[in-house]
Amino acid sequence: MARDTRERIVAVARDLVHGASLAAVSTEDVCRAAGVHKGSLYHFFASKQALGGAVLEHNWAMMSAVLEEAFADDLPPLARVDRFVDSFARMLTLMRDRFGTTPGCPLGSLAAEFAMHGDDARAQAIRLLQAWKAYFSTAISEAKGRGEVASTVDAETAATRALAHLQGLALLAKAMDDPGLVLQAKTDIRLLLQAPR
Amino acid sequence: MARDTRERIVAVARDLVHGASLAAVSTEDVCRAAGVHKGSLYHFFASKQALGGAVLEHNWAMMSAVLEEAFADDLPPLARVDRFVDSFARMLTLMRDRFGTTPGCPLGSLAAEFAMHGDDARAQAIRLLQAWKAYFSTAISEAKGRGEVASTVDAETAATRALAHLQGLALLAKAMDDPGLVLQAKTDIRLLLQAPR
DNA sequence: CGGTTAGTTGACCGATCAGTCAACAGCGGA
DNA sequence: TCCGCTGTTGACTGATCGGTCAACTAACCG
């Protein structure tokens, strides 16, 4: 029952936050939707912000699963990137179907909000973004080894480019309520992986 | 006195929102900081969201001035893009110096938040993002005419790419509290303007 | 069986929230 | 001179906010 309740609270909180900010969701909303009393919420979480941290971690778990699957090495490295973009877009589409509006990036938008809520919150956000970036940089390094990306390209720099681009497309997708926008990341990232001339 | 008060309210609200969300700022905060009473605020604005709309419009005015200056035709089109990126980065740096934390894009982050606050708010956000994009697409078209960008590149598509990339970098800059991140947009956008092969 | 502990309840707190209102000040035009 | 309008005041509302608390329950352990 215990683990169950905690997870239900986090799941509900994630759904309510979904595309809005944590600030826009109240603990009472969360409790009502989770069928739980305030005391229970504060039994598991020291503060609203701690709940926010758990939501962020929850979203990372989801994203992490998608990353692991998409970046599996049954495909050449650049094809894995494409597969990830497809999965990411599918995820946003699913969320839009479920909630009515397109969310931004489940990591990025929360990361941006938490960045100013104290140093540990920012550190958590940065940690997750770096972990995400690592999937890109690993694949890019491998692509360099295979000659599919020029050897003059720095993998870390290029990975940052790709991550930023995806974040930006997700933000536009949210603003325009059109998850399909992120699909162009496949083409765009190819361009970003070329050597500067 | 009238116009004066209204503008002071909007300016203060923008400062308080600055990098956070509108939801995180209360009307009482705004009134206190502006030295104004609640009644005055609601004399000028029908609701908190209307105030948010005015803040967004205010940010657009600021951004618009930067765009006009940066995209002036005393430079070749691609150099104008570089100049804009520099100005944009400088703007973020100034705001960080003033408020202690790096804001996201003054348009993008608010646009994303307002997107789910009803159709008119979303329409306003989209309108401003499109207006911004138009500066890019005009410059890109001109660059195509000068042979600096391949004729096979679609100006609208490429402009969306550039805008998305800048939004993404601004989001990362906010998360990492490092305005300098957006400077790499100069290199990145050059890559994005190449013809896909 | 008794005791311990994690989990749950529901009432409750003071603060704050967005928004309202009637009264009033000042000024420009008739 | 007085009217009417814009802007301003400050007190006020009912709801809701994040968070607390003491009491209760139930499951597990010895």
Side-chain angles (χ1 to χ4, degrees):
Chain A
M1 198 83 166
R3 180 59 54 93
D4 196 53
T5 302
R6 201 195 119 102
E7 281 176 7
R8 194 168 69 254
I9 292 174
V10 175
V12 161
R14 193 213 357 165
D15 288 357
L16 292 179
V17 170
H18 133 259
S21 59
L22 179 69
V25 175
S26 73
T27 56
E28 295 195 333
D29 290 337
V30 174
C31 290
R32 202 176 310 123
V36 154
H37 289 266
K38 279 284 244 324
S40 284
L41 193 155
Y42 282 94
H43 173 72
F44 292 106
F45 305 99
S47 66
K48 189 189 184 184
Q49 229 192 91
L51 171 61
V55 168
L56 185 52
E57 215 68 48
H58 187 94
N59 280 347
W60 167 247
M62 177 182 63
M63 185 68 78
S64 195
V66 173
L67 283 163
E68 277 298 328
E69 190 187 324
F71 279 94
D73 59 5
D74 59 327
L75 250 48
L78 293 187
R80 296 174 213 161
V81 174
D82 287 349
R83 182 164 60 182
F84 172 71
V85 171
D86 282 329
S87 298
F88 187 66
R90 205 178 309 121
M91 190 176 76
L92 294 187
T93 304
L94 274 176
M95 290 170 106
R96 194 197 51 173
D97 290 347
R98 186 137 79 100
F99 301 112
T101 59
T102 307
C105 170
L107 254 65
S109 48
L110 280 183
E113 182 181 0
F114 290 2
M116 27 177 20
H117 283 10
D119 288 337
D120 27 336
R122 145 167 294 132
Q124 182 192 16
I126 292 180
R127 198 190 79 234
L128 300 185
L129 288 174
Q130 297 286 4
W132 184 352
K133 198 182 87 172
Y135 283 89
F136 281 116
S137 60
T138 303
I140 294 169
S141 289
E142 195 173 329
K144 279 172 67 178
R146 296 164 55 105
E148 292 169 8
V149 163
S151 62
T152 54
V153 169
D154 179 64
E156 289 301 320
T157 306
T160 301
R161 280 186 192 127
L163 179 60
H165 198 77
L166 215 43
Q167 291 293 336
L169 284 173
L171 190 142
L172 289 188
K174 179 181 178 183
M176 315 264 192
D177 193 25
D178 176 14
L181 259 177
V182 312
L183 284 174
Q184 66 176 265
K186 286 185 285 186
T187 307
D188 299 354
I189 290 178
R190 296 299 172 114
L191 292 173
L192 288 170
L193 293 185
Q194 295 180 181
R197 358 179 203 188
Chain B
M1 199 81 167
R3 179 59 55 94
D4 196 53
T5 301
R6 201 195 118 101
E7 281 176 7
R8 195 168 68 253
I9 293 175
V10 175
V12 160
R14 188 201 18 150
D15 288 356
L16 293 180
V17 169
H18 134 259
S21 59
L22 179 68
V25 176
S26 73
T27 56
E28 296 195 331
D29 290 337
V30 174
C31 289
R32 202 177 309 123
V36 155
H37 291 264
K38 279 285 246 319
S40 284
L41 194 155
Y42 282 94
H43 173 72
F44 292 106
F45 305 100
S47 66
K48 189 188 185 185
Q49 230 193 88
L51 171 61
V55 168
L56 185 52
E57 215 68 48
H58 186 93
N59 280 347
W60 167 247
M62 178 182 64
M63 184 68 77
S64 194
V66 173
L67 283 163
E68 278 297 329
E69 191 187 323
F71 280 93
D73 59 5
D74 59 327
L75 285 180
L78 293 188
R80 294 174 214 160
V81 174
D82 288 348
R83 182 164 60 182
F84 172 70
V85 171
D86 282 329
S87 298
F88 188 66
R90 203 179 311 122
M91 190 176 76
L92 294 187
T93 304
L94 274 176
M95 290 170 105
R96 193 197 52 171
D97 291 346
R98 187 138 77 101
F99 301 112
T101 59
T102 307
C105 169
L107 253 65
S109 47
L110 280 182
E113 183 182 359
F114 291 2
M116 26 176 24
H117 283 9
D119 288 338
D120 27 338
R122 146 168 292 131
Q124 182 193 16
I126 292 180
R127 197 189 79 233
L128 299 185
L129 289 174
Q130 297 285 6
W132 185 352
K133 198 181 87 170
Y135 282 89
F136 281 115
S137 60
T138 302
I140 294 169
S141 288
E142 194 172 330
K144 280 172 65 178
R146 296 164 55 107
E148 293 169 7
V149 162
S151 62
T152 54
V153 169
D154 178 63
E156 290 300 320
T157 306
T160 302
R161 280 185 192 127
L163 179 60
H165 198 77
L166 216 42
Q167 291 292 337
L169 284 173
L171 190 142
L172 290 187
K174 179 181 178 183
M176 316 265 192
D177 193 26
D178 176 14
L181 260 177
V182 311
L183 284 175
Q184 66 175 266
K186 285 186 285 186
T187 307
D188 299 354
I189 290 178
R190 294 301 170 112
L191 292 173
L192 288 170
L193 292 185
Q194 293 180 184
R197 5 176 198 186

